[in-house]
Amino acid sequence: MDLTTPFSSLSLLFFISLQIHFPVRASGYFSPFQECAPFVCGYIRISYPFRHIRQPRYCGYPGYELDCDGFNPILYMVSQKYQVIHMDRSVQILVVARSDLSDSICLETYNETTLDLNLFNYTSNNLNSTLIYNCNSWPTLPSYYRFSCPESHFGYFILCVNLSNLLPKRCSSIVHVPISKSEPIGLPPASAGIDFGDNISDILNKGFEITWIANTSLCEDCAISGGICGYDWTRKEFNCFCRDAAYPATCHRTPIPTSVPSMPPVPAIIPSSMYAYSHLTCGF
Ligand SMILES: *[C@@H]1O[C@H](CO)[C@@H](O)[C@H](O)[C@H]1NC(C)=O
Ligand SMILES: *[C@@H]1O[C@H](CO)[C@@H](O)[C@H](O)[C@H]1NC(C)=O
Ligand SMILES: *[C@@H]1O[C@H](CO)[C@@H](O)[C@H](O)[C@H]1NC(C)=O
Ligand SMILES: *[C@@H]1O[C@H](CO)[C@@H](O)[C@H](O)[C@H]1NC(C)=O
Ligand SMILES: *[C@@H]1O[C@H](CO)[C@@H](O)[C@H](O)[C@H]1NC(C)=O
Ligand SMILES: *[C@@H]1O[C@H](CO)[C@@H](O)[C@H](O)[C@H]1NC(C)=O
């Protein structure tokens, strides 16, 4: 701490109590500064408000924990596992895909897609798609795509149609999965008698968009000042972890570059307009 800057006895107390919470490592760096460094999973660089589940709690905002399977960050939300396919910090958007649908659309348990609305919200860039399982017969409805699963009768994939009142008599399970509007359609015209299981899987694996709600505006200034963002879960306050201590907003000292591990290059995002296909719409 820079002793030339004036500080009241109150802020000294604050400083001391932080030191008790977060011991300084033998290396001389304030340990949360090192422990909370961003981590890279696949091509995605993860940092505040997210933390790796094995990083200390104070590295992230409560609720935003991610694992890593070696390829993608993994998000657990309302007893469902999601792969994080893309993260755009500037607009606070994650693209996520349900892990249980990643290999096959044939499910063992028919869990709904449920967001934790305290942490995330849908963007307006999604469509609602519906998977219907174990159907004995089929009502006359707009376009749909048929698939079959080893253990069941036929199932159907439908976009945007509210089927809740039609289904119980004919099909046993229904699962809603949002899909991103900006993905290429990837489906030939619907036609009876063809199994579209693989094609539907491809679409679902592209994921859908969710925003994270936490206000991370303080984090930018902290990062610019050379700090690592964190959160005091007890006081419910933002923390800026610096080389020497935790500060409420920014590091007091001159930022020292190269504090963050170098990252692999992130693949360029292809603007959706460059796709050769038409885009998904309701009622095609
Ligand atoms: C489905 O939900 C149940 C309970 O909510 C959970 O235990 C189970 O792991 C979920 N299944 C999958 C494949 O995510
Ligand atoms: C979530 O999104 C909906 C629709 O886009 C919007 O009306 C609502 O205010 C959002 N909720 C929060 C907490 O941002
Ligand atoms: C999809 O539709 C179902 C049933 O109408 C609804 O419960 C769910 O919230 C919708 N999901 C999205 C992302 O709009
Ligand atoms: C779908 O239809 C059911 C029954 O008609 C209705 O209760 C429900 O609110 C509808 N859902 C949406 C999202 O419109
Ligand atoms: C649909 O899936 C089949 C079988 O995997 C594949 O040959 C075909 O190219 C797919 N169609 C599209 C439009 O992706
Ligand atoms: C986010 O937090 C900052 C600092 O506390 C505040 O100035 C800003 O208004 C907040 N933004 C939103 C959208 O709540």
Side-chain angles (χ1 to χ4, degrees), residues 117-118 120-124 211 213:
L117 292 171
N118 296 312
F120 299 101
N121 202 0
Y122 292 111
T123 73
S124 55
T211 55
I213 289 167

Side-chain angles (χ1 to χ4, degrees), residues 2-283:
D2 189 352
L3 291 177
T4 60
T5 47
F7 55 89
S8 65
S9 53
L10 197 67
S11 65
L12 180 62
L13 267 178
F14 178 70
F15 177 71
I16 289 167
S17 76
L18 283 173
Q19 293 294 296
I20 294 163
H21 273 90
F22 314 113
V24 173
R25 280 260 172 83
S27 69
Y29 286 148
F30 185 56
S31 57
F33 178 78
Q34 291 175 307
E35 293 162 340
C36 299
F39 70 99
V40 174
C41 178
Y43 286 110
I44 300 180
R45 181 176 180 270
I46 313 279
S47 61
Y48 189 85
F50 297 95
R51 69 179 169 100
H52 192 282
I53 47 168
R54 282 194 295 275
Q55 283 179 312
R57 288 185 350 150
Y58 48 71
C59 296
Y61 192 90
Y64 295 100
E65 287 91 41
L66 297 173
D67 201 352
C68 179
D69 66 3
F71 302 98
N72 290 100
I74 301 295
L75 170 70
Y76 292 94
M77 180 168 54
V78 199
S79 43
Q80 185 75 47
K81 184 178 168 187
Y82 297 85
Q83 279 156 325
V84 178
I85 295 166
H86 181 64
M87 176 182 271
D88 187 340
R89 300 193 63 81
S90 63
V91 282
Q92 300 203 174
I93 284 179
L94 295 182
V95 179
V96 297
R98 282 174 58 145
S99 292
D100 60 344
L101 289 164
S102 68
D103 291 335
S104 161
I105 52 173
C106 300
L107 294 173
E108 281 166 23
T109 49
Y110 301 100
N111 288 354
E112 268 296 3
T113 311
T114 313
L115 286 198
D116 181 341
L117 292 171
N118 296 312
L119 303 174
F120 299 101
N121 202 0
Y122 292 111
T123 73
S124 55
N125 196 33
N126 296 313
L127 293 178
N128 210 339
S129 84
T130 309
L131 293 163
I132 310 158
Y133 293 90
N134 294 322
C135 300
N136 291 314
S137 65
W138 184 244
T140 321
L141 270 180
S143 312
Y144 56 85
Y145 290 92
R146 197 176 75 161
F147 59 87
S148 57
C149 291
E151 304 296 319
S152 66
H153 296 283
F154 293 117
Y156 297 94
F157 172 77
I158 300 155
L159 286 173
C160 313
V161 181
N162 181 1
L163 300 158
S164 13
N165 50 346
L166 292 164
L167 289 175
K169 295 166 220 126
R170 300 179 172 94
C171 309
S172 69
S173 303
I174 181 163
V175 173
H176 294 93
V177 186
I179 51 181
S180 170
K181 272 187 203 170
S182 44
E183 287 301 333
I185 183 163
L187 274 177
S191 88
I194 297 178
D195 187 332
F196 288 101
D198 292 342
N199 304 108
I200 300 162
S201 242
D202 287 348
I203 290 177
L204 298 179
N205 281 336
K206 286 171 181 154
F208 57 93
E209 289 186 3
I210 59 178
T211 55
W212 66 88
I213 289 167
N215 181 348
T216 53
S217 65
L218 287 173
C219 185
E220 248 173 77
D221 290 343
C222 167
I224 289 167
S225 76
I228 302 284
C229 303
Y231 195 81
D232 186 325
W233 290 39
T234 314
R235 288 196 187 79
K236 298 188 166 58
E237 276 170 10
F238 178 79
N239 268 333
C240 185
F241 296 131
C242 306
R243 296 199 163 212
D244 59 340
Y247 293 93
T250 55
C251 299
H252 292 181
R253 287 166 182 245
T254 320
I256 304 159
T258 73
S259 59
V260 176
S262 63
M263 303 300 161
V266 175
I269 302 151
I270 304 161
S272 50
S273 60
M274 285 174 66
Y275 285 117
Y277 301 95
S278 60
H279 290 182
L280 290 168
T281 54
C282 291

